[in-house]
Amino acid sequence: MSDSEKYNNAFLEAFGVDESKLNAELTYQSIKAWDSVGHMSLIAELEDTFDIMMETDDIIDFSSYEKGKEILAKYDIKL
Amino acid sequence: MCASIFTGVDLVTISRFHTPTAQKQSFLNLCFTPHEQTYCFSKADPAPHFAARFAAKEAVIKALSGLDLYLERNRIEVFNNEIGRPYLRFNTDNDKILSLKSDISISHTETSAIAFVILYTDPKKNYKSIYRE
């Protein structure tokens, strides 16, 4: 499984949404599941999936599907 | 001198803590201290207790934002005293956060948990040097 597929799977697991929702429009609180609880579920999924520990500032800044790709690049995860 | 007061409130749907993702250990460790996990899992249905504590942490984060401060959820700890009244402990080295006094109230229905937090400075102390006015 590619890193992009793993990245998408983390969103699907955390939010239980259809894969068609994974696009530039997906931002914090743009869907019901991406609230504060969902946000921490997503971060936990990503940390598990990529075996990383995200910095606090990155957890706060992780505001969209696209922004998340930029943040994960800091952890040498190219998406 | 008057105290500066900062408030935060948060409402959480309890069913969110019945989902598989909210029961994963990595999620629990990101959001709750070991003591809180032990406390919640000692209950017949841990979900309302996790939800109430999560709401408490979000309320604290909102209150801290009034001071341009932030603390990770698993460093904000909710305890109950001998009569069950909740209180907060902040696990941090940040002197500004440690100097704050706090009060918290938590409640829940069958479906939702709510927490209201007040953070305030001690009016007897001079905070001008560390807090914005």
Side-chain angles (χ1 to χ4, degrees), chain A residues 13 33 35-36 38 45 48 56, chain B residues 16 21 24 26 54 70 72:
Chain A
E13 280 287 320
D35 60 3
S36 56
E45 286 288 341
D48 277 352
T56 297
Chain B
R16 302 297 305 280
T21 51
K24 286 188 175 180
S26 53
F54 193 90
Y70 180 84
E72 294 86 352

Side-chain angles (χ1 to χ4, degrees), chain B residues 62-81:
Chain B
K62 289 175 181 176
L64 284 174
S65 70
L67 287 157
D68 288 335
L69 296 171
Y70 180 84
L71 191 60
E72 294 86 352
R73 290 162 184 80
N74 59 9
R75 292 177 180 272
I76 300 165
E77 193 159 25
V78 180
F79 288 90
N80 293 91
N81 69 12

Side-chain angles (χ1 to χ4, degrees), chain B residues 91-111:
Chain B
N91 301 312
T92 178
D93 295 330
N94 187 313
D95 289 338
K96 293 179 182 176
I97 294 176
L98 291 175
S99 69
L100 292 168
K101 295 183 177 298
S102 64
D103 198 13
I104 179 170
S105 185
I106 294 173
S107 185
H108 65 79
T109 66
E110 284 186 10
T111 58

